[in-house]
Amino acid sequence: MTSVALLMAAGSGSRFGADRPKQYLSLAGRPVLRHAAEALLRDGGVDAILPVCASDSLAMVAAILEGLPTLPPVVGGATRQASVRAGLEALAGDPPALVLVHDGARPVVPPGTVPALLAALERHPGAIPAQPVTDTLKRGEAGLIQATVPRAGLFRAQTPQAFRFAPLLAAHRTATAEATDDAQLLEAAGLAVALLPGHEQNIKITWPEDLARMEAALTPPLLPRIGTGFDVHRLVAGRPMVLCGVTIPGPMGLDGHSDADVGLHALCDAIYGALAEGDIGRWFPPSEAQWKDADSARFLRHAAGRIAARGGVLANADVTLICERPKITPHATAMRERLAALLEVPLDRISVKATTTERLGFPGRGEGIAAQAAVCLLVPT
Ligand SMILES: Nc1ccn([C@@H]2O[C@H](COP(=O)(O)OP(=O)(O)OP(=O)(O)O)[C@@H](O)[C@H]2O)c(=O)n1
Ligand SMILES: C[C@](O)(CO)[C@H](O)COP(=O)(O)O
C-alpha cells in the first residue's frame, strides 16, 4: 500500500456539546465521518483509510464506513497528537510510503485537494492546505485589545495534511511538546512543509453553528417545477357527482371508469406533469378492472406520495372547475379542505374555483364538466 489516510475520530467534541461526538452526528442524512471518508477517497490517490476512534466506538465506526476501503479501526489517545501517533504506530510494521491525516470532523475535502497534496510530496516531506488570514488579528485580554497582530504571511491550517510516512512517524516519536496539527511536528524537526491553497468550504465542525452552516451548504437547492392538468367527464343520470373529493347530491353525475372526479384527476395530472412522471392513466390504467368505480382520493394520495418520494413539497395548487351546474361556490371550501387533507398541506396552499363557458360548448350545454389544474412543486435538483 503506498498511501493511507488516518481518519481522526477519537475526540469527544466537548466544545460542540452534543450527546455524541460531533463526527457521528448526521449531516445531510449521513454521519459527518462518512462524508469525510468519502470526500478523502473521491479523487483517488488514497489506497486505504485507517480510522482512529475511542475504544467504545470501534464497531460503530466500522459500520459507518462500511463498503469503503478501510483498515480495522485503531483506538486513539487523550489528545489529537496521541491519536495520530496511535494510528502511525499501527501502520509502522508494514509502512505505507505516504500518509494523510484528516479530521473526521471535516466533512468537505474540496475536489483536487488530495491529488495536489500527494503531488507536492514529490518535492517536500510534508504538504498542507491552508487559507490566508483575511481578517485583522487582535490579541486581547479581559475583553480589551492588547495589540494588533500583523496578519501578513499568516495562514489557517486545514486537513488533510500529507506527509512522507517515515519523517512523520519519526517526528511523532521524538516530539517534546503538544502540537495542534501534524505539520507543526515536521516544522519542529526542521523539515519543509509546503503550503497549498485551502478552501473556505473545508470547515472543521467545532461549534453547533458549524454543523448548521454545513447542512445549508450540502442541502441541494429546491427547483420550482410547474405542472398543468386538464380533464373532462360526461354528465349522465344516475351516477354520483364527486368533485374535488366532495360528493354533491343530485340527479346527474359524472361518467367514467373510476368515480370520475374530474377536478381531482386534473390535479393528479398536474402533479405527475410537474414531476415529468407521465399522467394518471400511466399509474392507474382505465383498462384495469381494479380501478372500476375507484375513489379517486387514492389517486391523489399516490400523486402526493410521488412528490414525497422525490423529496419535494407542494407549494400550491389551483383547480378550476368548468361547468354551468352544479354551482361550485357553496362547496369550494369543503373541496379545498378535502384536497388539503389528502395532500397533507395547509389549506392556504389549495385553491378551488369555477367558471362557466357562457353556455357555449359542451360544458355550456350541460353535456359534461371540464377541469384544469396548475401546481407548483419545490423539488431538490
Ligand atoms: N484525542 C483526540 C482529540 C481529537 N481527535 C480528532 O481530531 C479532530 C480535530 O479535533 P477537534 O476538533 O479538537 O475535536 P474534539 O477534540 O473532538 O473537539 P473538542 O476539542 O471540542 O473536544 C477531530 O476529528 C477529533 O475527533 C482525536 O482523534 N483524538
Ligand atoms: C488539525 C486542525 O484541524 C488544523 O486546523 C486543527 O489544528 C485541530 O485543532 P483542534 O484544537 O484540535 O480543534
Side-chain angles (χ1 to χ4, degrees):
M1 224 169 282
T2 57
S3 72
V4 173
L6 300 186
L7 186 57
M8 307 313 303
S12 61
S14 55
R15 283 169 290 181
F16 195 101
D19 59 350
R20 282 163 290 164
K22 58 202 180 185
Q23 58 272 23
Y24 305 129
L25 296 176
S26 175
L27 171 64
R30 287 174 309 142
V32 167
L33 191 68
R34 176 85 193 191
H35 284 279
E38 288 182 1
L40 266 178
L41 293 166
R42 185 194 45 239
D43 291 341
V46 172
D47 298 308
I49 285 180
L50 176 61
V52 182
C53 63
S55 57
D56 59 1
S57 306
L58 292 165
M60 179 176 67
V61 165
I64 288 173
L65 301 179
E66 200 187 337
L68 302 180
T70 52
L71 299 168
V74 166
V75 175
T79 62
R80 185 183 184 281
Q81 186 173 329
S83 296
V84 175
R85 170 94 185 260
L88 295 173
E89 294 293 354
L91 295 172
D94 180 16
L98 308 176
V99 64
L100 291 97
V101 184
H102 184 53
D103 295 333
R106 288 186 186 265
V108 172
V109 179
T113 302
V114 169
L117 289 167
L118 294 175
L121 293 186
E122 288 165 20
R123 299 181 304 281
H124 308 285
I128 72 165
Q131 283 288 87
V133 170
T134 52
D135 297 321
T136 297
L137 294 179
K138 305 288 182 191
R139 180 170 295 114
E141 207 178 290
L144 290 175
I145 294 173
Q146 303 299 312
T148 296
V149 180
R151 69 182 176 196
L154 292 187
F155 291 81
R156 291 183 291 126
Q158 301 178 334
T159 75
Q161 299 190 348
F163 306 94
R164 295 179 193 156
F165 184 81
L168 184 67
L169 178 63
H172 268 268
R173 284 180 174 170
T174 55
T176 52
E178 197 63 28
T180 53
D181 75 349
D182 300 281
Q184 200 178 333
L185 297 175
L186 250 70
E187 295 157 46
L191 298 173
V193 181
L195 274 176
L196 303 188
H199 203 289
E200 280 308 321
Q201 279 176 9
N202 184 347
I203 292 167
K204 178 165 72 66
I205 294 172
T206 304
W207 306 99
E209 51 270 32
D210 297 326
L211 187 62
R213 253 191 313 156
M214 295 302 311
E215 189 78 56
L218 294 185
T219 304
L222 294 175
L223 186 72
R225 298 184 70 117
I226 310 294
T228 64
F230 180 77
D231 195 27
V232 173
H233 280 275
R234 188 182 292 276
L235 271 166
V236 292
R239 284 268 303 177
M241 171 79 79
V242 188
L243 287 174
C244 293
V246 172
T247 301
I248 301 173
M252 303 287 281
L254 290 171
D255 196 19
H257 186 59
S258 64
D259 65 6
D261 186 336
V262 67
L264 205 145
H265 293 183
L267 180 53
C268 286
D269 271 355
I271 293 171
Y272 294 131
L275 294 172
E277 290 192 8
D279 60 16
I280 197 169
R282 168 183 150 191
W283 293 99
F284 303 100
S287 53
E288 289 182 5
Q290 60 178 319
W291 311 125
K292 178 94 184 86
D293 295 328
D295 178 353
S296 294
R298 68 180 297 171
F299 305 154
L300 190 58
R301 278 198 212 97
H302 176 271
R306 293 306 312 154
I307 300 173
R310 297 273 292 268
V313 292
L314 178 84
N316 75 301
D318 183 19
V319 180
T320 304
L321 297 167
I322 304 166
C323 57
E324 299 289 335
R325 285 208 164 59
K327 289 295 167 205
I328 300 301
T329 307
H331 306 285
T333 300
M335 291 175 178
R336 290 177 62 216
E337 287 170 351
R338 178 73 177 136
L339 295 180
L342 290 170
L343 292 163
E344 297 184 30
V345 297
L347 184 62
D348 70 354
R349 298 205 199 162
I350 306 294
S351 155
V352 174
K353 58 195 196 303
T355 188
T356 68
T357 53
E358 300 291 333
R359 300 208 190 96
L360 296 171
F362 69 85
R365 293 189 298 270
E367 294 167 10
I369 295 182
Q372 64 184 33
V375 297
C376 176
L377 310 182
L378 298 174
V379 182
T381 51

